[in-house]
Amino acid sequence: MLADIASNLSLGLSVAASPEGFLFLVIGAFLGMIVGLFPGFGPAAGIAVLIPMTFGLQPTIAIIMLAGIYYGSMYGGTITSILINTPGESATVASTIDGYPLAQKGRAGPALVMQAIASFFGGTIGVILITALAPSLANFAASFGPSEYFLIIAVGLLMLTTMMGDNKFKGFISALIGFAIGTIGVDVMSGQQRYTFGSPELIGGVYFVAVAIGLFGIGELLHCIFNGQHRQPAKRLRISFRDKEFWPSRNDYHESRWTFWRGSAIGFVAGVLPGSGATLGSIIGYSVEKKVAKDPEKFGKGEMRGLVAPEAANNAASAGAMVPLLSLGIPGSGATAVLLGAFLMWGLQPGPLLIVNDPEFVWGLIASMYLGNMILIAMSIFAIPLFVKFLDIPYVNVVPVIVLLCVIGAFAINASIVETWILVLSGLVGFAMKKYGYSPAATVLALVLGSMAEETFLQTYIISQGTMNLFWERPVSLVLSIVLLTVIVTPIALSILSRIKGGTSKMNKGTP
Amino acid sequence: MKKWFAAGLLALAIGYTVYGLHTLTLVTSSGRPAAGFFPLLIGVLLIVSCTVNLWGDVREWLEEKRTGIVPVHQADPEAEAKADALGVDAHAIDGGPEFGRDVLIVFLYICGFVAIMNVVGAFLAMLAFMLVYLFTFNRAHPVSNAIYALALPASLYGLFKILLNASLPVGPLGL
């Protein structure tokens, strides 16, 4: 098995380390760092907006670049968390808890270096685990039938919506909206047109890129404007790695030695689970680290372990999220949904057969992640002064860059003005969704998976002759059905239980 | 506005389902699900969930009217989830002053940009958008605005049209 992995990786390295592959990997990682720097503009938006720029590239090189943007943003997002207490994206929120107090204590340099090392550690552990797990999972998934696939999609979407606190219901509606948009176009099974209103542009369906760029790009941009980011002055910061205080102390490394491992393991598991991803991984990583610490009172006041844990976790999670994407063809988050869309756009069908049919692509991507993490740690330490300079650009000047990239990018995909208007409309809807507590990520995820969900659902229906008993007759389906029911029933049961408890305690209080 | 958005979604859900019922076949002659089966399932689920959602939003609005306490604004779901997990107030992450008017202006500018793109060409449309936007929101720096408004469209036009060979709308100037 080890010999297989070694030969696969050397095949992958021949793709990723080629001059073209390496160049676009560096470009992707660099763009990812910048995407991570700007608050409110996460990896999903970054990938969606930059997809049109990969048109002239080979599919493998294009995906290597887009994946570089994805995990590069995890590195970049922490810089603002530490320096200005503003997470560049949601997965780096937990890093602000101890990162910013460290900077306030005059330890911004060591914090930035340690976050880069933790990110590298988490990312690399994650990629090693992908190397080991993805082929085995793909082998296992090769026996999956339509019922298993439908249930995995349903569990993934439900878990994504249960992540949404009080807004679970709105998350469910967001996913249904995605499914509804996905039904526009020609029905694959019967060839009948659906919701095209006679427009030839809609026969092929609503192209996911325009919707994703609109929801994530324009939607997030309008939300940032709504919050007044364009009215804020630029943050002028200076940092130099030549300063003696820039480097972490021996004690920092010594105290965090187990934190790297714990954070990476937790993050990877969170990443593999559909719907949870890097945000939850980093938060759990932080909470666990605080719980196991002998001195939890130090956390939140500038404790290095409180920064290392979420950083190792979010990078391991972003790697872990590639496991279901590559082996099952099912993304677990908005960013990986956009990546899946890009795979499909390039004619690559992620799933159990991808590793068999296109090993150069899969192993090239995995090898690029090893290289990408090495490039990113070097960039994160030695190019920090450069990235900090990007924060000098006021957001008011960033807005037109995003708008032009979105509009021109959406038009350039199919030279279609209808798709450009779909982008504009999706932007407005995306803004309203963010403002009123809906989930654009669930919509994009459901849109990308919509046709697969419909096809597998109908196949299950037809095979089981309308009884749907395939959902509990096959062992894997049965387990997934139980998970699905648990995800649905647990929050309802807990809510009823807490109401009963509340009622009982009120009655007790009322009793003289 | 929240309740109106919810009402809009419900209206769209009803429209989606009714239109589907009128135009699509639900079951084939052999009794198998046809093109309209899945949309009908989605439509019914959408109508039910949007109705419950609208009811919740209206109840929340009535409660706000009764108590007079209006929340800053609804935080986005990610912020809510993070805040739940971290045990902090979501509005501390995603709150503060609101600039709805600016959102409307930028959105109208984007609509204008897309509307004129096919008429004047991609380059001139980008240039016009940049000038109008920068002279609305960044009036204090006219010279740098003018340079920026020319440089960014020129570089993006060069990138897409020349490097990526993408198809962009061409105007009377051939750009």
Side-chain angles (χ1 to χ4, degrees):
Chain A
M1 186 190 168
L2 278 175
D4 281 350
I5 290 175
S7 78
N8 287 330
L9 272 180
S10 67
L11 171 73
L13 275 172
S14 68
V15 177
S18 66
E20 197 189 5
F22 191 75
L23 173 70
F24 283 96
L25 175 61
V26 173
I27 293 172
F30 183 78
L31 289 174
M33 290 278 289
I34 296 170
V35 162
L37 274 177
F38 290 105
F41 197 68
I47 299 167
V49 169
L50 295 169
I51 281 177
M53 291 177 105
T54 61
F55 283 164
L57 303 175
Q58 285 174 19
T60 309
I61 304 295
I63 299 294
I64 284 176
M65 181 179 148
L66 295 174
I69 296 170
Y70 170 52
Y71 52 83
S73 66
M74 298 290 157
Y75 281 74
T78 319
I79 297 176
T80 46
S81 294
I82 293 169
L83 296 179
I84 54 173
N85 200 25
T86 309
E89 56 111 10
S90 62
T92 59
V93 167
S95 310
T96 55
I97 303 171
D98 276 289
Y100 186 60
L102 274 165
Q104 282 182 312
K105 281 182 182 175
R107 302 205 69 217
L112 288 167
V113 175
M114 285 299 279
Q115 74 86 10
I117 296 170
S119 299
F120 172 75
F121 196 91
T124 306
I125 293 284
V127 185
I128 291 170
L129 290 171
I130 294 179
T131 313
L133 287 180
S136 320
L137 190 59
N139 273 340
F140 178 58
S143 63
F144 283 9
S147 57
E148 283 87 359
Y149 271 105
F150 178 78
L151 286 166
I152 291 171
I153 294 169
V155 169
L157 278 166
L158 269 173
M159 284 178 88
L160 187 72
T161 54
T162 50
M163 262 281 291
M164 294 174 54
D166 293 338
N167 291 314
K168 288 182 193 78
F169 203 68
K170 289 185 171 16
F172 179 65
I173 292 174
S174 311
L176 288 176
I177 293 170
F179 280 135
I181 300 170
T183 57
I184 297 171
V186 173
D187 173 38
V188 193
M189 310 274 262
S190 66
Q192 192 180 358
Q193 283 187 32
R194 300 190 294 199
Y195 303 101
T196 56
F197 305 102
S199 161
E201 303 235 20
L202 290 176
I203 290 174
V206 174
Y207 204 39
F208 100 96
V209 181
V211 177
I213 300 177
L215 288 177
F216 291 128
I218 301 286
E220 284 194 25
L221 175 97
L222 294 177
H223 195 251
C224 285
I225 291 172
F226 184 75
N227 288 338
Q229 220 161 293
H230 64 304
R231 300 266 179 185
Q232 285 170 13
K235 312 268 191 314
R236 294 197 178 273
L237 299 158
R238 289 288 170 267
I239 203 155
S240 169
F241 60 84
R242 290 190 191 89
D243 293 346
K244 202 182 165 191
E245 298 79 37
F246 183 80
W247 301 98
S249 65
R250 190 171 291 193
N251 193 38
D252 288 330
Y253 294 112
H254 183 74
E255 276 191 352
S256 311
R257 64 193 186 284
W258 297 114
T259 313
F260 287 111
W261 292 101
R262 271 191 295 269
S264 304
I266 292 165
F268 186 80
V269 173
V272 171
L273 292 175
S276 48
T279 304
L280 190 67
S282 62
I283 291 167
I284 297 174
Y286 180 86
S287 311
V288 168
E289 198 55 36
K290 193 175 170 182
K291 281 216 171 94
V292 300
K294 286 175 187 162
D295 45 4
E297 69 285 350
K298 282 188 181 173
F299 282 70
K301 294 169 189 161
E303 172 56 47
M304 196 58 86
R305 284 167 293 168
L307 174 66
V308 168
E311 277 309 297
N314 66 27
N315 283 274
S318 64
M322 298 295 265
V323 175
L325 180 67
L326 288 174
S327 51
L328 303 174
I330 291 171
S333 64
T336 44
V338 180
L339 263 182
L340 171 68
F343 280 25
L344 299 173
M345 201 180 79
W346 288 111
L348 299 157
Q349 179 64 55
L353 292 177
L354 185 66
I355 294 183
V356 180
N357 293 342
D358 219 332
E360 274 192 22
F361 167 73
V362 174
W363 291 104
L365 179 61
I366 292 173
S368 80
M369 291 173 79
Y370 282 101
L371 292 178
N373 275 299
M374 287 179 206
I375 292 164
L376 280 162
I377 191 173
M379 268 190 203
S380 297
I381 295 175
F382 296 109
I384 280 176
L386 173 71
F387 287 112
V388 167
K389 267 193 177 295
F390 276 100
L391 298 174
D392 287 355
I393 304 170
Y395 198 76
V396 72
N397 286 339
V398 177
V399 171
V401 181
I402 298 172
V403 171
L404 297 196
L405 273 175
C406 290
V407 174
I408 296 297
F411 183 89
I413 300 164
N414 290 321
S416 159
I417 201 74
V418 172
E419 278 180 15
T420 318
W421 280 112
I422 288 174
L423 157 100
V424 177
L425 187 68
S426 306
L428 189 65
V429 173
F431 164 66
M433 287 178 91
K434 274 197 85 113
K435 187 169 174 330
Y436 300 128
Y438 297 80
S439 167
T443 304
V444 171
L445 204 56
L447 172 60
V448 172
L449 295 173
S451 60
M452 189 179 176
E454 179 177 5
E455 215 176 298
T456 51
F457 178 81
L458 292 180
Q459 280 171 350
T460 309
Y461 185 91
I462 292 165
I463 294 168
S464 61
Q465 292 172 328
T467 60
M468 295 293 184
N469 52 13
L470 274 186
F471 285 135
W472 49 87
E473 274 182 355
R474 290 165 65 97
V476 179
S477 290
L478 178 67
V479 173
L480 288 167
S481 295
I482 293 169
V483 173
L484 189 75
L485 280 175
T486 313
V487 174
I488 295 169
V489 172
T490 310
I492 299 168
L494 286 175
S495 139
I496 293 171
L497 211 71
S498 69
R499 269 188 213 172
I500 293 170
K501 269 188 182 174
T504 316
S505 63
K506 267 184 194 171
M507 276 171 68
N508 288 342
K509 275 180 191 171
T511 314
Chain B
M1 280 300 280
K2 190 178 172 185
K3 60 184 181 303
W4 293 117
F5 185 69
L9 284 180
L10 176 61
L12 281 174
I14 294 169
Y16 172 85
T17 314
V18 171
Y19 185 79
L21 278 172
H22 274 90
T23 55
L24 300 172
T25 320
L26 291 180
V27 187
T28 61
S29 51
S30 56
R32 285 188 167 186
F37 186 83
F38 195 68
L40 178 70
L41 200 71
I42 299 294
V44 170
L45 281 173
L46 261 174
I47 291 175
V48 172
S49 50
C50 286
T51 308
V52 178
N53 182 45
L54 177 64
W55 171 241
D57 285 354
V58 169
R59 238 177 28 177
E60 194 182 296
W61 172 68
L62 290 172
E63 185 70 13
E64 276 170 26
K65 257 183 90 174
R66 193 178 62 80
T67 57
I69 303 165
V70 182
V72 183
H73 66 78
Q74 178 68 54
D76 76 282
E78 266 182 359
E80 293 279 10
K82 283 176 290 190
D84 270 2
L86 296 171
V88 296
D89 174 20
H91 298 301
I93 296 175
D94 186 38
E98 298 172 353
F99 295 86
R101 197 174 150 267
D102 290 358
V103 170
L104 184 68
I105 292 170
V106 172
F107 182 72
L108 289 176
Y109 285 175
I110 296 172
C111 289
F113 172 26
V114 177
I116 63 167
M117 204 162 69
N118 261 356
V119 183
V120 299
F123 181 76
L124 285 183
M126 284 195 271
L127 185 72
F129 170 79
M130 290 284 292
L131 286 172
V132 173
Y133 167 81
L134 288 170
F135 283 97
T136 307
F137 292 103
N138 198 25
R139 279 184 209 164
H141 309 97
V143 179
S144 63
N145 281 352
I147 297 169
Y148 187 38
L150 199 66
L152 183 65
S155 42
L156 282 179
Y157 190 83
L159 175 73
F160 277 94
K161 192 80 185 173
I162 298 160
L163 272 177
L164 300 174
N165 202 20
S167 171
L168 296 180
V170 180
L173 297 179
L175 288 168

